[in-house]
Amino acid sequence: MGGAFPIAVLNLKGGVGKTAVVEALGSTFAEARDDRIIAVDIDAGDLVDRHGRRSPLSMADLVSDNAVTRYMDVRAHTYMNSCGLEVLGLPEYAHTNWRLGRGDVVKAFSILRKHYSLVLVDCVKALNSSVMEAVLPESQALVVVSGTSIDAIRKTRTTLEWLSNNGYRKLIGSTVLAINRVQPTKLETVAGKELEQLSAHVAATVVLPFDRHLHEGKAIGLDKLSKDSRRRYLELAAALADMFPSRARQPETAHDLGRGVGVRSPSR
C-alpha cells in the first residue's frame, strides 16, 4: 500500500448496522489480504462485542503509553479474530470516566499508520464533533451506511450534504454508499427512488442483504453469513480497493482486493 489507507464508516443516523458493516467488511479485507488490517471503535458502541472478544488494554492505554513504538506494542492493545482482523476498542463505558478527545484520535492515527495498511473507523454519529475533526482529514475513503427506511435515507442525504458543505466535498468522490437492509422487508418504491438519487452522487453503491446472523447481535463470523452477504461484502471491499493508491496497482485479479489491483466499482 505504501502507507496506511484510513476508511471512515459513518452516518448521522443510528441503528443502520454501521458497526456490523465495519466488522464484516474488515474481516472480508483481512481474509483476502496478507497485510495488517485494523478496525477502530471511536463510537463506544458494540464493535468489540461483534468482534468476539475484548482486549484487556484499550485505546486509552495505547495513547497514554509513550513507549509504544513496535507493532507488537500495539498488538498488545488489540484482539485478532480468525480472519486476521484486529480491533482496537475503547474502555468499557460503564467502568471508566475517560473521554475520547481529538488529541487522542490524532495520536492513535500517528501510531497506527506506521503498522497497518488499512484502518477502518467506526465513527460517532455527530459529524461536527471534535473527534471527527481528527478522523475526516485523515480519511482517504468513506463508507456511508444507510438503512432503507425513509428516515434513514433522509439522514443519509443530510450526511452527504453536510460533508459537501463543510470542506469534505472531495471525499464524496471516494465514498461508497452501503445500503444495509436491516429488516427482511421489501424496499418501498419511494425509498428506492430516493436511494437511486443518492447513488448518483457517490463513487459506488452496494446493497447489503438482510442476514439473520448479523441481525442476532452476536459475534460476527464470515463463515456464518449467507452466500449473498459474502458476495456483497466482497463487492464493497472491491469498490474501496479501486480507490487504493494507483502506484500499488498490478495486473492481478479483483479478488486480490487491492493488493495492487484496480477493480471496477459494483453496478448500482
Side-chain angles (χ1 to χ4, degrees):
M1 292 286 290
F5 191 89
I7 301 170
V9 183
L10 50 84
N11 197 319
L12 286 167
K13 172 70 175 173
V16 293
K18 172 173 58 69
T19 298
V21 170
V22 171
E23 175 66 21
L25 174 61
S27 294
T28 298
F29 268 126
E31 186 179 64
R33 296 174 59 89
D34 55 9
D35 49 3
R36 297 171 185 158
I37 318 293
I38 190 168
V40 181
D41 182 11
I42 66 168
D43 192 27
D46 59 352
L47 179 59
V48 170
D49 297 324
R50 305 310 303 269
H51 192 60
R53 183 175 166 185
R54 178 180 294 274
S55 171
L57 300 177
S58 67
M59 186 189 294
D61 301 296
L62 179 69
V63 299
S64 64
D65 187 351
N66 292 324
V68 173
T69 56
R70 303 170 303 158
Y71 167 66
M72 290 310 298
D73 298 331
V74 182
R75 181 72 180 83
H77 299 75
T78 70
Y79 175 69
M80 180 186 289
N81 68 7
S82 59
C83 295
L85 173 68
E86 295 179 50
V87 160
L88 176 64
L90 294 174
E92 292 188 73
Y93 193 84
H95 301 288
T96 184
N97 60 359
W98 183 81
R99 294 181 62 183
L100 179 70
R102 183 181 186 278
D104 299 314
V105 177
V106 170
K107 185 171 183 180
F109 267 118
S110 70
I111 295 171
L112 299 177
R113 72 163 63 98
K114 299 174 184 177
H115 304 288
Y116 296 88
S117 294
L118 290 177
V119 181
L120 280 72
V121 185
D122 189 359
C123 297
V124 297
K125 293 184 286 294
L127 300 183
N128 61 351
S129 62
S130 62
V131 292
M132 290 305 292
E133 288 177 358
V135 171
L136 288 171
E138 290 278 354
S139 301
Q140 295 190 42
L142 304 178
V143 176
V144 176
V145 181
S146 177
T148 55
S149 68
I150 295 298
D151 180 48
I153 295 168
R154 287 173 179 167
K155 282 292 177 63
T156 298
R157 183 182 296 278
T158 301
T159 298
L160 294 173
E161 290 176 349
W162 186 93
L163 291 166
S164 181
N165 295 334
N166 286 272
Y168 301 106
R169 182 183 297 272
K170 187 176 180 180
L171 268 178
I172 302 296
S174 300
T175 294
V176 179
L177 176 62
I179 302 172
N180 192 28
R181 306 192 69 164
V182 295
Q183 297 292 337
T185 55
K186 292 184 178 180
L187 185 64
E188 295 181 9
T189 302
V190 175
K193 289 182 178 179
E194 292 207 24
L195 286 171
E196 187 175 351
Q197 292 174 0
L198 291 180
S199 296
H201 298 286
V202 296
T205 298
V206 178
V207 179
L208 303 173
F210 173 78
D211 193 295
R212 295 193 180 280
H213 173 57
L214 296 178
H215 191 65
E216 290 173 350
K218 301 177 181 178
I220 294 172
L222 287 187
D223 58 336
K224 297 180 180 179
L225 297 182
S226 68
K227 290 182 179 180
D228 194 16
S229 289
R230 291 293 301 272
R231 180 171 179 265
R232 296 305 178 90
Y233 273 103
L234 280 168
E235 288 183 354
L236 177 56
L240 290 162
D242 199 30
M243 303 173 192
F244 291 172
S246 59
R247 66 180 180 177
R249 294 179 182 176
Q250 301 292 334
E252 300 291 342
T253 66
H255 295 291
D256 283 296
L257 295 184
R259 280 181 293 182
V261 55
V263 298
R264 298 184 63 183
S265 300
S267 61
R268 295 173 185 164

